[in-house]
Amino acid sequence: MSRPKIALLNAAHAADDTERNFVRELDADVVEFRCPAGEFPDDFAFDGFVVTGSSASVYWDKEWIGQLKTWVGGAIEAGLPALGVCYGHQLLADVLGGRVEDMGGYEIGYRTVEHDGDNRLLSGVDESMTVFTTHSDRVAEPPPGATVFAENEYGIHGFRKGRAIGVQFHPEYDMETAETVTAGKDDLSEERMQQVLDGITESNYAAACEAKQLFDNFLAYVAEIRGDRVAAD
């Protein structure tokens, strides 16, 4: 069977780095759409889709954000498996009826997140995992009927509803991206920024690489759904 065809809804303004990170991690035929520039798929002719991180907030009144929510809602209704990362996680929650709020500060740097061991997305990943985080919004209330499977002291880090799965952390990041994003946070104090930069080490990155397993797990799920569709046809 051919590799899955995945729509990459790139919501980042630093779009090149985001594309590079996701294309590297997704062993699939990835078709990228740069959403802030008004690029969206014309249809739902994909095996699944991924919504990336962004410096935007899902509750902003921007035309492209409304367009993205409309397309994602239609894709979910069409039965496409979905993976949302950071902003994408929040956008999936919003589209499915959850609530996203401003945290009033940042979670940033390599952090520990606990997961319940019951979600296939994190199969093979230690239940206490190291991940890189950078966000100032969070899913305050998951969508009705959703299952929360990952959390830490900052709140929800993973939920699933139907075929839509979101994670708040950034499994796609490499060390260069972690450093660049951190150094670009002008609203962090100099002391806190340096603490985060000091924590971007080979050992922390190596520990966080375990969570990259979720990309293969997601694609295995996509392949399973595609197989079911073929069998049904």
Side-chain angles (χ1 to χ4, degrees), residues 146-228:
T147 299
V148 173
F149 62 83
E151 296 180 274
N152 71 0
E153 66 270 28
Y154 283 88
I156 296 170
H157 267 273
F159 79 88
R160 176 178 180 176
K161 182 173 182 180
R163 294 178 178 174
I165 310 171
V167 293
Q168 180 60 67
F169 54 91
H170 281 278
E172 81 283 9
Y173 271 20
D174 53 21
M175 288 180 66
E176 178 185 353
T177 304
E179 290 169 349
T180 300
V181 168
T182 301
K185 299 294 186 189
D186 296 335
D187 42 357
L188 287 182
S189 70
E190 190 173 315
E191 180 182 9
R192 189 175 183 202
M193 182 183 292
Q194 192 59 53
Q195 288 175 341
V196 175
L197 289 170
D198 289 345
I200 302 172
T201 63
E202 293 282 357
S203 60
N204 280 335
Y205 175 66
C209 281
E210 182 185 33
K212 292 181 182 291
Q213 177 65 38
L214 71 81
F215 291 110
D216 286 345
N217 292 346
F218 175 67
L219 291 176
Y221 177 57
V222 168
E224 180 182 303
I225 297 299
R226 181 171 66 170
D228 290 345

Side-chain angles (χ1 to χ4, degrees), residues 108-140:
I108 185 168
Y110 286 106
R111 311 284 302 177
T112 299
V113 170
E114 309 285 342
H115 73 93
D116 62 14
D118 292 333
N119 190 279
R120 65 181 296 170
L121 188 75
L122 295 176
S123 177
V125 179
D126 193 275
E127 291 179 17
S128 182
M129 57 185 178
T130 298
V131 294
F132 193 86
T133 67
T134 171
H135 63 112
S136 57
D137 291 336
R138 64 183 171 197
V139 175

Side-chain angles (χ1 to χ4, degrees), residues 4-113:
K5 183 180 178 183
I6 301 294
L8 180 65
L9 285 302
N10 189 342
H13 293 84
D16 289 345
D17 288 346
T18 300
E19 178 191 16
R20 171 176 55 82
N21 286 330
F22 278 96
V23 169
R24 182 187 63 240
E25 302 300 340
L26 289 164
D27 184 17
D29 292 334
V30 177
V31 183
E32 184 206 16
F33 300 89
R34 299 197 170 187
C35 302
E39 296 179 9
F40 297 94
D42 292 328
D43 52 36
F44 307 121
F46 299 90
D47 296 310
F49 68 95
V50 176
V51 186
T52 76
S54 179
S55 58
S57 293
V58 299
Y59 44 77
W60 286 0
D61 184 17
K62 297 284 188 181
E63 183 178 3
W64 72 267
I65 295 175
Q67 290 175 301
L68 177 56
K69 289 180 181 181
T70 297
W71 189 89
V72 165
I76 290 173
E77 190 173 333
L80 270 62
L83 174 63
V85 173
C86 195
Y87 173 87
H89 154 86
Q90 297 163 14
L91 187 125
L92 288 178
D94 180 272
V95 168
L96 290 166
R99 183 171 65 85
V100 176
E101 68 178 11
D102 186 335
M103 294 164 54
Y106 275 102
E107 179 183 21
I108 185 168
Y110 286 106
R111 311 284 302 177
T112 299
V113 170

